[in-house]
Structure formats: structure tokens, C-alpha cells
């Protein structure tokens, strides 16, 4: 008689699974709501023109004015929250000084991730959520919304707020001097 046991997880698989957040964990962690999510999403979209696999990390002042933002294209492969955290932290360090000297965080980081597929939560989203939360802690920021941009539109995971425009199918014209277009490896935008 054979029993159907699953093969044991490797140490790498087990640790990778520990570096992602489920939607319920994310919703329960007290992420502050955006007052005007449509304005934030549209502003980041217009500024960075993301295509599939593009992450846009933005730091907002308490009044939700943009302090700084950066975009980069994620390398393919299995999503690992630790690697995504390091990529986000690297971008944050490039565009804005840390707030670690403050007693409590004042500015908030949000992440917009443009991807293929359905709008529902995926393990890749869970890895991004874990990475964003950890990067914010290490940079002295409040962890803000995680927004996906798909062909169906945008959605703030864990909140259920969404919209049809912009969406990942829109291909805006390139602006003069945009530095190689929306699919570039790194784009920086700072608004102070």
C-alpha cells in the first residue's frame, strides 16, 4: 500500500513561503487607506508609464503629495520577498533619504506593480507585500498601499478599491526625453 506523501520542502522553498503575506495578513496589518487612490494611481502611471513587470515605488508626504518615486523592471523567476525587498530598498535609497531618526514614520511608501494575468491576489503579490512592508521598516517609512495594474484596471489589494483606468493594456505615447521609454531598467522621478 502506497501513501501519497508530498515531497519535503527544501530549505529554500520553505523560507521563500515565509516571505510572503496572505491578503488577510495584509489587511489586518493596519495599512493606511489612500484618501484619493485614483489620483495617486493616475499620477504614478503618467509619471512612469509602466509596462508588464514594472514596479513603481513612491513615497508620499502625509497629505499624499508625491515626495519621490522610482520604477524598475522585475527580473523573471520565482518571486522571493527578500529579493523584492532588497530591490525596493535600493530604489528608495536612490530617491529619498531614510527617516530612521524619527520617532515614528511620517511619510508613506506605496507600490504599484504592473503585471499580466487576473486582478486577484497571487503568490507574487504576497512576495511584493512582504518586501514592501520590510523595506518600509528598514527605511523608516509607513507601509502603504499595494496596487496591481492589470488589463482589467487597477486594484488596491486588501482594500477592494479599484478602477478601470489606467490599465496595463494602455500604451501611452513616449514623451520626449523620457530616457528610453517605459520599459527602461530604471526611471527616477523626484517631486519635492
Amino acid at each position: 500500500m502506497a501513501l501519497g506523501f508530498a515531497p519535503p520542502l527544501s530549505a529554500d522553498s520553505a523560507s521563500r513561503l515565509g516571505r510572503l503575506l496572505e491578503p488577510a495578513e495584509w489587511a489586518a496589518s493596519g495599512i493606511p487607506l489612500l484618501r484619493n487612490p485614483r489620483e495617486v494611481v493616475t499620477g504614478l502611471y503618467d509619471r512612469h508609464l509602466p509596462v508588464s513587470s514594472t514596479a513603481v515605488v513612491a513615497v508620499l508626504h502625509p497629505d499624499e503629495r508625491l515626495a519621490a518615486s522610482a520604477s524598475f523592471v522585475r527580473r523573471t523567476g520565482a518571486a522571493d520577498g527578500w529579493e523584492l525587498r532588497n530591490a525596493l530598498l535600493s530604489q528608495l535609497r536612490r530617491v529619498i533619504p531614510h527617516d530612521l531618526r524619527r520617532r515614528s514614520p511620517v511619510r508613506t511608501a506605496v507600490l504599484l506593480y504592473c503585471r499580466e494575468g487576473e486582478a486577484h491576489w497571487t503568490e507574487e503579490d504576497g512576495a511584493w507585500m512582504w518586501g514592501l512592508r520590510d523595506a518600509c521598516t528598514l527605511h523608516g517609512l509607513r507601509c502603504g498601499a499595494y496596487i496591481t495594474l492589470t488589463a482589467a484596471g487597477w486594484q488596491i489589494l486588501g482594500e477592494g478599491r479599484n478602477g478601470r483606468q489606467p490599465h496595463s493594456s494602455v500604451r501611452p505615447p513616449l514623451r520626449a526625453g523620457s530616457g528610453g521609454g517605459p520599459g527602461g531598467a530604471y526611471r527616477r522621478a523626484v517631486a519635492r
Side-chain angles (χ1 to χ4, degrees):
M1 181 168 128
L3 297 176
F5 288 106
L9 288 173
S10 69
D12 185 48
S13 309
S15 64
R16 183 174 290 137
L17 289 174
R19 293 188 293 250
L20 65 85
L21 294 175
E22 297 283 337
E25 289 175 281
W26 181 258
S29 63
I31 303 298
L33 299 176
L34 291 170
R35 286 190 295 267
N36 193 342
R38 185 176 314 278
E39 185 177 300
V40 171
V41 171
T42 303
L44 293 176
Y45 183 85
D46 290 345
R47 190 175 288 268
H48 292 276
L49 307 175
V51 295
S52 184
S53 298
T54 302
V56 179
V57 62
V59 178
L60 306 176
H61 291 293
D63 61 359
E64 290 189 4
R65 283 181 304 110
L66 183 65
S69 64
S71 62
F72 60 100
V73 177
R74 182 178 106 67
R75 288 182 268 152
T76 58
D80 183 346
W82 184 79
E83 291 173 5
L84 299 177
R85 185 266 326 256
N86 289 344
L88 290 168
L89 203 51
S90 172
Q91 299 303 319
L92 288 169
R93 288 175 177 152
R94 287 182 181 187
V95 297
I96 198 156
H98 66 75
D99 280 350
L100 294 171
R101 289 188 190 99
R102 294 185 181 273
R103 203 170 267 189
S104 61
V106 174
R107 296 182 291 194
T108 303
V110 298
L111 178 63
L112 180 135
Y113 184 59
C114 182
R115 64 171 171 79
E116 301 294 325
E118 300 295 319
H120 59 77
W121 180 88
T122 65
E123 283 191 2
E124 181 182 25
D125 294 324
W128 277 113
M129 291 169 160
W130 187 93
L132 176 63
R133 186 184 68 180
D134 212 45
C136 288
T137 300
L138 294 172
H139 206 65
L141 300 168
R142 290 174 63 196
C143 183
Y146 173 70
I147 307 157
T148 58
L149 189 65
T150 63
W154 58 269
Q155 177 177 329
I156 302 177
L157 293 182
E159 292 181 24
R161 296 194 287 172
N162 57 44
R164 289 189 210 118
Q165 294 291 334
H167 55 81
S168 64
S169 298
V170 174
R171 294 292 183 251
L174 293 178
R175 294 185 208 151
S178 65
Y186 168 74
R187 292 187 66 195
R188 175 183 175 187
V190 178
R192 296 204 184 203

